[in-house]
């Protein structure tokens, strides 16, 4: 296939490298000729590096570079061009102008694709005489490494074009997911679940950014915490995406932005690219160490019955902790409440527990190597230090648990992050914006989560997850936590969240 790529910036040169390496003839062009020269040099250096690392033969590298053709005039005729991929700046008028000129220069059979990440594909196509020839083909940076592409049909896109683009993407070694033309498409939309909830936790002073990131990594198994991720992406970019998706979905509570971001963006605290974001970067910067464990690990504990209570009792007993049994705690015992979607304060009030020495423990934590201790405003600091020391005990005596201390909140940190990730993905499935399989594929490939959000929800169990979300919603009163219909129905019917279910169309 002969492909013309218009725009020789980071995305354009990445798409060019990907397509040429896969065996396609690629015309690379830009209104700035120096950008094309720089892009070809960059692709050459990437191919040379691949050869040096043994990922490609010298012959294949030379052949790929030979298939990459610098083009001086983006609007030149091209009777053999089968596909155009536009990768110019994110501006509707600019993209419309580009495709308008291409429509005059290229044959009617040429398929047009836009790499837009935030603009409506339908609106871009509307400027054409034939809007049916255009679809979205959204790559992620760096293109050769991010092996996922969103195929986005516009409202008028001809039905044969998305399957053609899907076949092209997959023949070149990437995975393709078909996504509705909605704000954020799929990956950016699904990613709002993590960062918006992390910001909400920070708003409520549940933990600081480093503390939330540690829990996200060590309890949930994410490669990168949400605040690290925002610093890597750039808070200016992240905040703009959050706002645009929230506005595009008509101020959906589940996608609600935070009041924390606008001032930080204005102050230039964008992250790695500015040297300071949620964290400091540079030669002198170092991550803040966790405070040492200083309490009494031998103080007796009493574990209140509830979600994960038996497992907590057993693991603490195996580690040599003095775990009390019986109907209630002794006068010196620390009281641990495994709270699922609720608060420690509610347990203190309903069960008559001693407020100064009662603490929450997240039942999700035993899956990792970090436990999470929740403290209320009534907690005795010395008792909290002792509780942290008890929870840090390890069965082997050599590898103590890391223990994060957070403010008491419904569901604690990990539960709220996970519930939000699953809820946003479930709302995407509920609206039929993408299939459950494509949602999970796109998120694991594009965002690097340890599991697709719907499959992750199935690991917890639909009924258990519904209990969590109902408890979060009832405890906080915040509509962002309300359960989705997708989750509620599947919990009631015994279906998995990854099951697309039967639709009315299947029955006629």
């Amino acid at each position: 296939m002969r492909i013309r790529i218009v725009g020789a910036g980071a995305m354009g040169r990445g798409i060019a490298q990907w397509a040429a390496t896969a065996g396609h003839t690629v015309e690379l062009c830009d209104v700035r000729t120096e950008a094309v020269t720089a892009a070809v040099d960059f692709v050459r250096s990437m191919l040379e590096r691949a050869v040096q690392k043994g990922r490609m033969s010298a012959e294949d590298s030379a052949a790929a570079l030979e298939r990459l053709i610098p083009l001086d005039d983006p609007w030149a005729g091209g009777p053999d061009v089968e596909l155009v991929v536009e990768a110019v700046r994110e501006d509707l008028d600019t993209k419309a102008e580009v495709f308008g000129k291409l429509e005059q220069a290229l044959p009617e059979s040429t398929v047009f694709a836009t790499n837009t990440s935030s603009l409506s594909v339908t609106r871009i196509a509307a400027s054409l005489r034939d809007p049916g020839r255009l679809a979205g083909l959204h790559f992620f940076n760096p293109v050769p490494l991010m092996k996922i592409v969103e195929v986005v049909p516009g409202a008028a896109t001809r039905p044969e074009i998305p399957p053609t683009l899907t076949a092209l993407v997959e023949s070149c070694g990437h995975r393709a997911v078909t996504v509705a033309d909605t704000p954020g498409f799929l990956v950016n939309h699904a990613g709002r679940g993590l960062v918006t909830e992390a910001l909400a936790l920070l708003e409520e002073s549940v933990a600081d950014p480093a503390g939330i990131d540690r829990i996200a990594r060590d309890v949930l198994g994410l490669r990168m915490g949400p605040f690290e991720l925002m610093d890597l992406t750039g808070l200016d970019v992240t905040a703009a995406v959050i706002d645009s998706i929230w506005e595009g979905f008509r101020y959906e509570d589940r996608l609600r932005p935070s009041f924390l971001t606008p001032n930080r963006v204005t102050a230039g605290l964008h992250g790695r690219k500015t040297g300071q974001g949620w964290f400091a970067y540079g030669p002198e910067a170092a991550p803040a160490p966790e405070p040492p464990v200083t309490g009494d690990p031998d103080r007796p504990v009493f574990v209140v019955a509830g979600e994960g209570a038996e497992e907590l009792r057993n693991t603490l007993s195996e580690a040599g902790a003095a775990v009390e049994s019986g109907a209630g705690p002794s006068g010196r015992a620390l009281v641990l409440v495994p709270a699922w979607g609720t608060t420690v304060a509610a347990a203190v009030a309903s069960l008559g527990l001693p407020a100064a020495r009662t603490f929450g423990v997240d039942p999700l934590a035993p899956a990792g190597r970090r436990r999470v201790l929740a403290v209320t405003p009534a907690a005795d600091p010395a008792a909290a230090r002792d509780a942290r020391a008890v929870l840090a005990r390890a069965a082997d005596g050599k590898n103590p648990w890391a223990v994060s201390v957070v403010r008491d909140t419904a569901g604690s940190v990990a539960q709220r992050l996970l519930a939000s990730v699953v809820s946003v993905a479930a709302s995407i499935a509920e609206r039929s914006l993408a299939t459950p399989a494509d949602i999970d594929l796109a998120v694991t490939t594009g965002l690097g989560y340890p599991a697709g959000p719907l499959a992750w929800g199935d690991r917890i169990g639909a009924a258990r997850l519904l209990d969590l979300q109902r408890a979060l919603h009832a405890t906080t009163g915040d509509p962002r936590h309300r359960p989705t219909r997708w989750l509620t129905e599947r919990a009631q019917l015994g279906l998995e969240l990854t099951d697309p279910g039967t639709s009315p169309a299947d029955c006629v």
Side-chain angles (χ1 to χ4, degrees), residues 259-272:
F259 69 81
L260 295 172
T261 56
N263 280 350
R264 298 184 69 88
V265 171
T266 300
L269 303 176
H270 298 171
R272 290 179 179 272

Side-chain angles (χ1 to χ4, degrees), residues 373-451:
L373 182 73
V375 300
T376 72
D380 171 29
R385 289 190 286 272
D386 291 346
R388 185 166 181 253
V390 172
L391 288 176
R393 298 181 68 128
D396 60 11
K398 299 177 182 178
N399 300 296
W401 286 75
V403 181
S404 292
V405 181
V406 302
R407 181 179 180 177
D408 182 31
T409 184
S412 196
V413 173
Q415 293 173 38
R416 281 181 53 174
L417 291 176
L418 179 57
S420 181
V421 166
V422 176
S423 282
V424 171
S427 70
I428 293 172
E430 185 174 286
R431 293 183 171 103
S432 300
L433 306 184
T435 66
D438 278 354
I439 293 168
D440 278 0
L441 171 63
V443 171
T444 51
T445 309
L447 298 177
Y449 289 4

Side-chain angles (χ1 to χ4, degrees), residues 132 156-164:
T157 302
R158 290 196 292 271
E160 70 272 13
I161 288 179
T164 299

Side-chain angles (χ1 to χ4, degrees), residues 126-166:
S127 63
L128 297 175
R129 293 193 303 271
D130 177 13
R133 72 193 298 187
L134 186 142
L137 199 59
H138 180 212
F139 293 83
F140 295 84
N141 193 31
V143 174
L145 300 181
M146 296 294 287
K147 296 183 178 295
I148 190 74
V149 183
E150 295 176 328
V151 177
V152 189
T157 302
R158 290 196 292 271
E160 70 272 13
I161 288 179
T164 299
L165 294 176
T166 296

Side-chain angles (χ1 to χ4, degrees), residues 74-451:
W75 328 123
D80 299 329
V81 175
E82 297 172 71
L83 172 67
V84 170
V85 181
E86 165 272 313
V88 303
R89 68 189 181 93
E90 282 289 274
D91 176 77
L92 182 63
D93 291 339
T94 301
K95 292 180 184 294
E97 180 183 1
V98 166
F99 282 117
K101 292 180 178 179
L102 290 168
E103 193 173 34
Q104 296 177 20
L106 298 175
E108 293 180 0
S109 58
T110 304
V111 173
F112 290 168
T114 173
N115 184 54
T116 182
S117 60
S118 61
L119 300 174
S120 164
V121 171
T122 300
R123 290 187 66 188
I124 296 170
S127 63
L128 297 175
R129 293 193 303 271
D130 177 13
R133 72 193 298 187
L134 186 142
L137 199 59
H138 180 212
F139 293 83
F140 295 84
N141 193 31
V143 174
L145 300 181
M146 296 294 287
K147 296 183 178 295
I148 190 74
V149 183
E150 295 176 328
V151 177
V152 189
T157 302
R158 290 196 292 271
E160 70 272 13
I161 288 179
T164 299
L165 294 176
T166 296
L168 167 67
V169 167
E170 297 192 340
S171 71
C172 295
H174 278 30
R175 302 293 298 274
V177 292
T178 301
V179 188
D181 183 19
T182 53
F185 303 143
L186 176 49
V187 173
N188 283 332
H189 184 175
R192 297 318 93 200
L194 178 67
V195 294
T196 56
E197 194 62 33
L199 288 165
L201 288 162
L202 184 60
E203 283 183 6
E204 299 166 29
S205 301
V206 174
D208 63 11
I212 294 170
D213 278 0
R214 291 187 189 110
I215 293 168
R217 291 192 305 266
D218 297 347
V219 177
L220 297 180
L222 295 170
R223 296 179 191 172
M224 188 176 290
F227 292 96
E228 293 175 290
L229 179 60
M230 283 186 268
D231 274 358
L232 179 64
T233 305
L235 186 60
D236 53 334
V237 175
T238 298
V241 170
I242 291 173
D243 287 348
S244 67
I245 292 175
W246 180 60
E247 292 164 3
F249 281 99
R250 296 300 184 261
Y251 312 107
E252 162 64 54
D253 287 300
R254 219 181 301 278
L255 304 169
R256 189 171 65 237
S258 170
F259 69 81
L260 295 172
T261 56
N263 280 350
R264 298 184 69 88
V265 171
T266 300
L269 303 176
H270 298 171
R272 290 179 179 272
K273 62 187 176 185
T274 59
Q276 179 70 52
W278 299 108
F279 308 108
Y281 299 91
E284 304 299 321
E290 293 193 61
V293 176
T294 59
D296 177 9
D298 296 318
R299 186 163 174 175
V301 295
F302 177 85
V303 180
V304 175
E307 179 85 25
E310 191 62 30
E311 183 178 6
L312 180 59
R313 287 192 197 98
N314 292 339
T315 56
L316 289 177
S317 295
E318 291 168 4
V323 181
E324 294 186 349
S325 57
S330 66
R332 187 171 179 269
L334 303 166
V335 181
L336 303 180
V337 179
W340 187 250
T342 57
T343 63
V344 180
V348 168
S350 63
L351 301 176
L353 301 173
R357 51 192 173 94
T358 298
F359 306 93
V361 181
D362 189 344
L364 281 178
R369 286 302 306 170
R370 180 178 294 277
R371 290 190 171 113
V372 181
L373 182 73
V375 300
T376 72
D380 171 29
R385 289 190 286 272
D386 291 346
R388 185 166 181 253
V390 172
L391 288 176
R393 298 181 68 128
D396 60 11
K398 299 177 182 178
N399 300 296
W401 286 75
V403 181
S404 292
V405 181
V406 302
R407 181 179 180 177
D408 182 31
T409 184
S412 196
V413 173
Q415 293 173 38
R416 281 181 53 174
L417 291 176
L418 179 57
S420 181
V421 166
V422 176
S423 282
V424 171
S427 70
I428 293 172
E430 185 174 286
R431 293 183 171 103
S432 300
L433 306 184
T435 66
D438 278 354
I439 293 168
D440 278 0
L441 171 63
V443 171
T444 51
T445 309
L447 298 177
Y449 289 4

